[in-house]
């Protein structure tokens, strides 16, 4: 593994910029606490000196009194409904999304993998109206967001959690909120299946001795990509209007792989390499 990482690191540091050619570049990451010293300055493998008054042999304190064991209190039970500006409960999250996804929206929308129904993105506690701020009896609402891949639209529906009704609906184009886990997984699947994903698969094979066939074999981070004039091939010119992704994949229990030069257009289901 050390030889593999060093070989790929050689690709990264040669020259003034990082270029991905043939295969994606393996990025070695030093995690906190693995650099040979802990946060207190004591080297790994050496014992830290005991502080004055620390417990001695047998669990007795320096003063001769036994140290009482710590007590961890159980978290309070979560109710079905929160109050005021409390975070949304699990029940409220599930109920809000179910209410927001009406039959009409389900039939007309399309998810990231082409199935019926828009792609769920998230549920957040809605801000109160100006005249409701600070009032204990103010309605409690949730904003539920979806991305409809059928017409590249962000759909936001506000649900009144008290009445169980949708009180507002908004549709926006060209708005790209953070990616959901399902969208990052779909982007990884498209990259693995595309010829431009050969570098990622080769690096995975080098690091693990196994073939990369599924997004489940990777830990995935990613960011929305927007088109910049002259910075990408024409196939990516609609990124921003389309939902496009730059992935930052990590081999599970292994290194990161640099795939920053590759962009996946989830709306068009295409993969392209950025210009150098």
């Amino acid at each position: 593994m050390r030889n593999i990482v060093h070989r790929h690191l050689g690709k990264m540091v040669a020259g003034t910029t990082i270029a991905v050619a043939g295969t994606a570049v393996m990025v070695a990451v030093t995690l906190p606490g693995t650099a040979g010293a802990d946060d207190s300055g004591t080297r790994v493998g050496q014992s830290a000196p005991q502080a004055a008054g620390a417990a001695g042999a047998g669990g007795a304190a320096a003063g001769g009194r036994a140290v009482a064991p710590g007590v961890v209190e159980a978290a309070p039970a979560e109710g079905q409904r929160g109050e005021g500006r409390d975070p949304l409960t699990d029940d409220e999250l599930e109920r809000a999304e179910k209410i927001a996804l009406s039959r009409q929206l389900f039939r007309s929308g399309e998810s990231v993998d082409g199935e019926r129904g828009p792609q769920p993105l998230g549920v957040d506690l809605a801000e109160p109206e100006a005249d409701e701020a600070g009032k204990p009896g103010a309605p409690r609402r949730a904003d539920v967001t979806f991305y409809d891949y059928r017409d590249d639209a962000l759909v936001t529906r506000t649900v009144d959690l008290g009445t169980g009704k949708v009180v507002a609906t908004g549709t926006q184009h060209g708005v790209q909120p953070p990616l959901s886990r399902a969208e990052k997984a779909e982007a990884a699947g498209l990259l693995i299946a595309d010829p431009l994903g050969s570098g990622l698969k080769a690096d995975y094979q080098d690091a693990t001795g196994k073939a990369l066939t599924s997004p489940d074999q990777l830990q995935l981070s990613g960011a929305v990509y927007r088109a910049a004039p002259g910075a990408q091939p024409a196939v990516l010119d609609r990124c921003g209007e389309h939902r496009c992704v730059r992935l930052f994949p990590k081999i599970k229990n292994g290194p990161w792989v640099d795939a920053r030069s590759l962009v996946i257009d989830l709306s068009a289901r295409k993969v392209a390499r950025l210009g150098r």
Side-chain angles (χ1 to χ4, degrees):
M1 174 65 77
R2 178 171 296 180
N3 292 335
I4 292 170
V5 172
H6 284 182
R7 182 177 73 241
H8 290 290
L9 279 175
K11 295 180 184 177
M12 290 182 59
V13 298
T16 58
T17 59
I18 296 176
V20 180
T23 63
V25 181
M26 195 88 54
V27 181
V29 178
T30 301
L31 298 177
T34 61
D38 61 15
D39 292 338
S40 66
T42 304
R43 287 188 177 275
V44 175
Q46 293 182 351
S47 299
Q50 283 190 335
R65 290 180 299 174
V67 178
V71 177
V72 179
E73 294 185 2
E78 181 181 74
Q80 290 186 335
R81 297 185 181 183
E83 297 181 0
R85 301 299 298 165
D86 288 347
L88 294 168
T89 65
D90 290 344
D91 181 75
E92 287 176 321
L93 291 168
E94 183 178 351
R95 192 161 57 92
E97 185 172 320
K98 185 176 181 179
I99 294 170
L101 187 58
S102 64
R103 183 175 300 178
Q104 179 181 357
L105 181 60
F106 177 77
R107 287 178 174 175
S108 64
E110 183 177 309
S111 66
V112 66
D113 56 1
E115 297 295 327
R116 180 178 290 186
Q119 182 64 43
L121 296 184
V123 183
D124 298 291
L125 186 66
E127 292 295 327
E129 301 292 339
D131 60 349
E132 297 172 349
K135 293 183 179 180
R140 190 167 162 84
R141 306 183 188 93
D143 287 332
V144 186
T145 52
F146 304 91
Y147 195 85
D148 186 356
Y149 279 86
R150 177 158 295 178
D151 59 358
D152 279 297
L154 177 68
V155 180
T156 303
R157 310 201 81 190
T158 302
V159 175
D160 187 316
L161 295 168
T163 64
K165 295 181 179 180
V166 175
V167 295
T169 298
T171 302
Q172 299 169 284
H173 295 273
V175 178
Q176 299 294 341
L179 298 154
S180 67
R181 182 180 300 179
E183 289 174 309
K184 286 181 281 190
E186 186 68 17
L190 291 172
L191 179 57
I192 292 169
D194 192 272
L196 288 175
S198 60
L200 172 63
K201 291 189 285 188
D203 282 339
Y204 188 91
Q205 180 78 38
D206 285 347
T208 67
K210 300 177 180 179
L212 176 61
T213 59
S214 168
D216 294 338
Q217 296 168 264
L218 300 168
Q219 293 178 4
L220 297 171
S221 298
V224 169
Y225 175 80
R226 289 181 175 274
Q232 69 281 316
V235 69
L236 297 177
D237 281 346
R238 296 185 68 185
C239 287
E241 176 189 348
H242 282 187
R243 194 142 169 86
C244 299
V245 186
R246 293 177 82 177
L247 283 178
F248 311 109
K250 183 181 183 298
I251 297 172
K252 289 185 176 180
N253 300 316
W256 295 86
V257 178
D258 189 353
R260 289 173 294 176
S261 68
L262 302 175
V263 175
I264 302 96
D265 184 335
L266 288 172
S267 301
R269 302 187 69 79
K270 295 180 179 179
V271 181
R273 188 187 299 276
L274 294 175
R276 299 174 187 172

